[in-house]
């Protein structure tokens, strides 16, 4: 009797399982019916990436959807629904770039972009959150109690939730324990990433859901579960990680050398570089403006025995110390002499004669040995910091400094010489008006270099967000707002960047291959748009960037006394180069061109070195987002 009863229960359970599986299979077949085509759309012919576009003209052809990520037997990621894309072409391209980045490079079971390294993964999370914010801002529907959304609204919300779920997965996949032992700039990317996620959650909640203040007291708990966006519950965790990494990174501020400034890496000789100081400024002001406070006492590491039992003390929102740190750090950076003749930030300063370590000398104690290497991201991160400093202080000088730097960057990209006989000459940060990393043309970029241009355009988009016309005011905190004149002044300057942004977005877009993946050397057609290998380098006036400094971001940290600690065992570093760099280049593909027996060698320069990566994809994503937000989105 007992055996028969168990057998009947088992058969019943199997029957229920098969019934449910059948329902899901039928639903999947209906979704993928021919009436809803998802893929198999051909490339449109590529435009000339170096031609100008008229003001207001969309950068991408509306009939230029590219083939999607290849399907295979293990494909489980849902693809984009065609009904979502009755939007302008640039917006369509932006969402597709995000989809390729996440479908091709992200693995949800790991909660990671497996090919990324720790700090670039933090930047990838930042780019996804910022893109979701742009999408949310574009789609303005509103969820109300007892209000039924349209099917289009439901599709949109489902897509946003899908990508946001990947961000929450990344919270657990991020290699936080490793990052806390790395350089100070690595830690600060983590801070900015999770603050960006918090900003997105708050924006999406405000635009599309009821606020907590809107929920009535009676039955409040039930209403919170049904009317507030579920992502609000993740804010405390994200805030806690941002706070922990900010506190760890703040230990890099040093006044014993150079009168101040952040040290880049505690495991090397003191080097005060632009990126670490710019990150500290942007992270500090972002903590002041957006950090919601943290009551989680869980310590990352506690050396103080008094705190061992109690954990970390609470951290309050809008702590004035964050603002003081940002103001002091920018004052130091501005007067440090870290700009070259073109008004661009060079990489940083060593201290001449420093021989510290266990028994050494501080040398001159001054930042007097400048490394003149120029990177694109060193011109970008400070832009969001300056925007935040204006909002926190009301001083227009911060905005003026930011816009002057953007104009310097545009000039250094060769914008003024485009279309002339000198258009292919290196101008300091690009050529022919297209931003370029020094390693792009030689195919020698590491994952570091692949990430840089995307960082610049992300922070440019943050700078050029409209200034608030109403101040935020809370207990012991008040931000500044813009009057009509300042609002118009800021908007006009950002509008001036429009033609240059379109030019660069178009140059980035033509590098996409058949799977929609962006390359790193913008302006070079990719995929089935074949390029003769001599096309670029043989053009009149083309030259390679000069060696002006130490390209340690792409070639590894040198083994010498300038960079290494005196008590380092030099031989330990003999084989050290960037682990993320691949010296191998793919073989060039021989293709026939035209009629007759003659052949030409065609190859894709963006397949050299590491080829197309999640980092190069983030660059295309960021420049499209900047174009959409600054130029084309209705505001």
């Amino acid at each position: 009797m007992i055996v028969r009863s168990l057998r009947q229960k088992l058969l019943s359970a199997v029957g229920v399982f098969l019934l449910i599986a059948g329902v899901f299979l039928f639903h999947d077949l209906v979704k993928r019916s021919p009436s809803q085509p998802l893929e198999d759309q051909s490339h449109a012919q590529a435009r000339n990436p170096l031609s100008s576009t008229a003001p207001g003209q969309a950068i991408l052809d509306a009939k230029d959807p590219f083939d999607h990520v290849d399907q295979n037997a293990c494909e489980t990621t849902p693809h984009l629904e065609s009904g979502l894309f009755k939007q302008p072409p640039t917006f369509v391209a932006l969402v597709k770039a995000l989809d390729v980045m996440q479908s091709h490079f992200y693995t949800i079971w790991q909660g990671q972009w497996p090919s990324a390294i720790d700090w670039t993964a933090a930047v990838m999370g930042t780019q996804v959150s910022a893109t979701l914010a742009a999408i949310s801002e574009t789609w303005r529907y509103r969820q109300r109690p007892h209000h039924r959304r349209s099917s289009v609204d439901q599709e949109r919300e489902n897509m946003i939730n899908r990508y946001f779920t990947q961000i929450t997965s990344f919270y657990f996949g991020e290699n936080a324990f490793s990052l806390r032992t790395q350089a100070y700039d690595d830690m600060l990317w983590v801070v900015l990433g999770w603050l960006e996620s918090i900003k997105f959650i708050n924006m999406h909640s405000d635009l599309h859901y009821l606020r907590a203040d809107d929920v009535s007291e009676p039955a409040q708990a039930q209403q919170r579960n049904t009317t507030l966006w579920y992502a609000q519950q993740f804010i405390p965790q994200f805030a806690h990680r941002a706070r922990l990494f900010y506190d760890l990174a703040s230990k890099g501020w040093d006044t014993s050398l150079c009168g101040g400034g952040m040290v880049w890496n505690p495991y090397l000789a003191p080097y005060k570089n632009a990126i670490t100081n710019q990150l500290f400024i942007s992270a500090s002001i972002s903590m002041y403006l957006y950090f919601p406070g943290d009551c989680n006492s869980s310590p990352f590491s506690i050396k103080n025995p008094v705190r061992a039992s109690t954990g970390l003390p609470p951290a309050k929102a809008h702590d004035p110390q964050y603002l003081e740190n940002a103001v002091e750090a920018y004052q130091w950076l501005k007067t440090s002499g870290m700009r070259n003749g073109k008004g661009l930030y060079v990489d940083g300063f060593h201290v001449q004669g420093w021989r510290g370590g266990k028994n050494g000398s501080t040398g001159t104690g001054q930042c007097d040995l400048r490394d003149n290497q120029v990177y694109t991201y060193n011109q970008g991160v400070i832009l969001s910091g300056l925007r935040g400093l204006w909002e926190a202080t009301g001083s227009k000088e911060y905005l003026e400094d930011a816009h002057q730097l953007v104009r310097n960057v545009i000039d250094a990209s060769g914008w003024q010489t485009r279309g002339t006989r000198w258009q292919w000459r290196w101008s300091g940060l690009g050529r022919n008006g297209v931003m370029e990393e020094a390693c792009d043309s030689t195919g020698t970029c590491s994952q570091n270099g692949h990430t840089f241009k995307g960082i610049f355009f992300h922070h440019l988009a943050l700078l050029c967000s409209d200034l608030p016309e109403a101040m935020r005011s809370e207990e012991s905190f008040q931000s500044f707002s813009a009057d009509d004149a300042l609002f118009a002044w800021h908007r006009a300057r950002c509008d001036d960047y429009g033609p240059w942004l379109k030019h660069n977005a178009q140059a980035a877009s033509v590098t996409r291959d058949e799977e929609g993946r962006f390359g790193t050397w913008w302006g070079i057609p990719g995929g089935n748009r074949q390029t003769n290998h001599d096309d670029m380098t043989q053009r009149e006036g083309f030259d390679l960037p000069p060696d002006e400094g130490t390209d340690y971001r792409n070639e590894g940290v040198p083994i010498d006394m300038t960079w290494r600690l005196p008590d380092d065992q030099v031989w330990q570093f003999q084989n050290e180069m960037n682990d993320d760099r691949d010296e191998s280049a793919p073989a060039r593909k021989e293709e026939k061109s035209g009629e007759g027996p003659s052949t030409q060698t065609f190859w894709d320069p963006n397949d050299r070195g590491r080829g197309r990566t999640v980092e190069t994809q983030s660059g295309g994503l960021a420049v499209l987002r900047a174009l959409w937000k600054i130029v084309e989105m209705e505001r």
Side-chain angles (χ1 to χ4, degrees):
M1 288 291 293
I2 296 175
V3 173
R4 185 182 303 140
S5 176
L6 290 174
R7 184 182 302 153
Q8 289 174 347
K9 290 180 180 180
L10 179 61
L11 290 173
S12 298
V14 171
V16 171
F17 173 82
L18 291 175
L19 177 62
I20 294 173
V23 170
F24 276 101
L25 178 60
F26 175 76
H27 174 72
D28 189 63
L29 290 172
V30 170
K31 278 195 72 176
R32 295 180 179 269
S33 65
S35 62
Q36 292 179 311
L38 302 182
E39 301 186 328
D40 297 329
Q41 299 174 349
S42 62
H43 285 283
Q45 185 175 1
R47 292 188 189 179
N48 178 1
L50 305 174
S51 62
S52 300
T53 52
Q57 179 182 347
I59 196 66
L60 298 174
D61 193 332
K63 297 180 180 179
D64 186 34
F66 43 77
D67 293 336
H68 204 75
V69 179
D70 290 340
Q71 292 197 29
N72 56 57
C74 296
E75 179 64 72
T76 58
T77 304
H79 291 296
L80 302 173
E81 299 290 345
S82 58
L84 292 171
F85 295 117
K86 296 177 181 178
Q87 297 286 342
T90 300
F91 181 76
V92 173
L94 172 65
V95 178
K96 287 186 175 180
L98 174 65
D99 184 59
V100 170
M101 178 169 159
Q102 295 304 97
S103 297
H104 195 98
F105 296 105
Y106 187 80
T107 303
I108 196 164
W109 71 269
Q110 292 179 289
Q112 262 285 4
W113 298 268
S115 62
I117 52 179
D118 291 342
W119 84 266
T120 66
V123 174
M124 298 307 104
T126 307
Q127 299 282 19
V128 172
S129 292
T131 303
L132 290 179
I135 294 170
S136 176
E137 200 173 3
T138 302
W139 287 335
R140 295 177 180 272
Y141 52 87
R142 184 81 174 178
Q143 176 66 25
R144 290 285 183 181
H146 313 298
H147 170 73
R148 184 170 182 174
R149 278 189 182 149
S150 69
S151 60
V152 173
D153 286 346
Q154 289 174 343
E155 287 179 349
R156 291 169 174 174
E157 183 66 12
N158 185 59
M159 189 190 78
I160 287 174
N161 286 335
R162 172 194 166 204
Y163 292 124
F164 176 75
T165 301
Q166 295 172 356
I167 291 296
T168 62
S169 172
F170 174 57
Y171 176 81
F172 298 100
E174 186 171 47
N175 196 354
F177 286 99
S178 175
L179 279 159
R180 71 179 178 131
T181 65
Q182 296 180 23
Y184 294 123
D185 61 338
D186 298 325
M187 300 176 191
L188 290 167
W189 294 116
V190 176
V191 178
L192 290 181
W194 294 112
L195 291 178
E196 192 68 38
S197 296
I198 291 172
K199 288 162 58 182
F200 161 62
I201 293 171
N202 288 328
M203 169 189 279
H204 190 67
S205 298
D206 289 347
L207 287 177
H208 306 298
Y209 290 82
L210 288 177
R211 297 174 57 91
D213 298 341
D214 297 332
V215 179
S216 59
E217 287 296 328
Q220 190 172 27
Q222 181 179 354
Q223 284 188 299
R224 282 182 181 274
N225 289 335
T226 57
T227 60
L228 300 183
W229 192 33
Y230 81 99
Q232 290 282 338
Q233 66 186 317
F234 293 105
I235 288 180
Q237 287 87 345
F238 295 173
H240 184 58
R241 181 163 293 177
R243 177 257 185 116
L244 290 172
F245 274 87
Y246 181 84
D247 289 350
L248 287 168
S250 298
K251 297 176 183 178
W253 183 262
D254 165 62
T255 57
S256 66
L257 299 170
C258 312
M262 287 284 291
V263 172
W264 167 47
N265 191 324
Y267 308 108
L268 297 172
Y271 183 52
K272 300 198 173 182
N273 61 355
I275 194 59
T276 310
N277 283 276
Q278 291 185 15
L279 281 165
F280 186 61
I281 295 164
S282 291
S284 296
I285 200 62
S286 294
M287 289 289 287
Y288 178 69
L289 293 172
Y290 307 116
F291 175 63
D294 178 31
C295 295
N296 187 340
S297 62
S298 174
F300 219 66
S301 65
I302 290 293
K303 295 182 179 179
N304 187 337
V306 177
R307 291 188 183 176
S309 59
T310 60
L312 295 175
K316 63 182 179 180
H318 312 301
D319 189 331
Q321 185 63 55
Y322 297 134
L323 175 58
E324 292 176 19
N325 290 350
V327 171
E328 181 182 10
Y330 182 63
Q331 180 60 30
W332 180 87
L333 180 66
K334 188 174 181 178
T335 58
S336 67
M338 213 177 289
R339 308 276 283 272
N340 65 15
K342 295 179 181 290
L344 304 176
Y345 281 97
V346 298
D347 194 69
F349 278 104
H350 299 279
V351 176
Q352 191 164 353
W354 187 90
R355 297 292 182 270
K358 296 177 180 177
N359 300 294
S361 166
T362 58
T364 64
Q366 301 298 316
C367 285
D368 51 8
L369 191 59
R370 195 171 86 171
D371 193 297
N372 290 314
Q373 184 73 27
V374 176
Y375 297 113
T376 58
Y377 77 154
N378 281 343
Q379 325 310 320
V381 173
I382 191 61
L383 299 178
S384 63
L386 291 169
R387 158 64 186 258
L389 279 166
W390 166 80
E391 191 169 345
T393 66
S395 174
K396 185 182 177 183
E397 180 182 357
Y398 292 120
L399 293 178
E400 292 172 337
D401 287 354
H403 285 295
Q404 182 58 57
L405 178 56
V406 177
R407 288 193 291 272
N408 294 343
V409 168
I410 293 174
D411 287 344
S413 73
W415 184 244
Q416 301 303 325
T417 58
R418 72 191 189 284
T420 71
R421 61 176 299 187
W422 308 114
Q423 62 184 334
W424 305 115
R425 175 174 291 179
W426 179 255
S427 297
L429 210 61
R431 66 186 90 235
N432 200 36
V434 177
M435 179 174 274
E436 186 178 317
E437 209 65 53
C439 58
D440 286 343
S441 59
T442 56
T444 57
C445 295
S446 69
Q447 281 172 283
N448 298 325
H450 277 179
T451 315
F452 291 168
K453 292 194 291 295
I455 291 171
F456 173 85
F457 283 101
H458 167 67
H459 289 273
L460 176 61
L462 293 178
L463 166 67
C464 281
S465 297
D466 283 341
L467 300 182
E469 297 180 271
M471 64 178 61
R472 288 193 295 152
S473 183
E474 302 174 19
E475 184 180 354
S476 70
F477 167 77
Q478 179 175 300
S479 66
F480 284 79
S481 58
D483 58 23
D484 291 344
L486 182 60
F487 183 93
W489 175 86
H490 179 69
R491 170 72 74 84
R493 274 144 188 79
C494 290
D495 287 345
D496 288 343
Y497 310 147
W500 181 75
L501 273 170
K502 293 176 182 179
H503 191 62
N504 276 267
Q506 191 171 8
S509 295
V510 299
T511 68
R512 294 174 303 176
D513 64 7
E514 293 85 351
E515 296 181 358
R517 298 176 300 174
F518 287 82
T520 189
W521 193 12
W522 292 356
I524 308 300
N528 59 2
R529 295 160 288 191
Q530 297 169 336
T531 306
N532 188 291
H533 74 280
D534 289 333
D535 277 355
M536 289 296 294
T537 58
Q538 297 299 317
R539 292 183 178 183
E540 181 181 7
F542 182 92
D543 58 353
L544 294 174
D547 293 329
E548 295 182 314
T550 307
D551 188 10
Y552 67 102
R553 291 299 193 183
N554 296 296
E555 298 176 359
V557 176
I559 306 169
D560 58 34
M561 291 189 297
T562 300
W563 290 87
R564 303 290 183 174
L565 294 171
D567 49 1
D568 277 348
Q569 307 238 358
V570 176
W571 54 84
Q572 293 178 356
F573 302 98
Q574 288 299 324
N575 297 320
E576 182 188 75
M577 293 295 282
N578 277 356
D579 291 339
D580 47 47
R581 181 176 172 190
D582 185 354
E583 297 286 350
S584 61
R588 299 180 181 181
K589 187 194 304 183
E590 300 286 335
E591 300 283 357
K592 287 189 176 181
S593 175
E595 300 293 333
S598 63
T599 62
Q600 287 181 306
T601 300
F602 290 99
W603 60 296
D604 188 340
N606 280 303
D607 282 340
R608 294 172 300 168
R610 294 190 57 82
R612 289 169 169 81
T613 64
V614 64
E615 290 86 5
T616 63
Q617 187 69 20
S618 74
L621 181 71
V623 70
L624 288 172
R625 185 172 69 251
L627 173 64
W628 175 248
K629 284 187 61 89
I630 297 173
V631 180
E632 297 186 10
M633 188 175 76
E634 293 182 6
R635 292 177 288 184

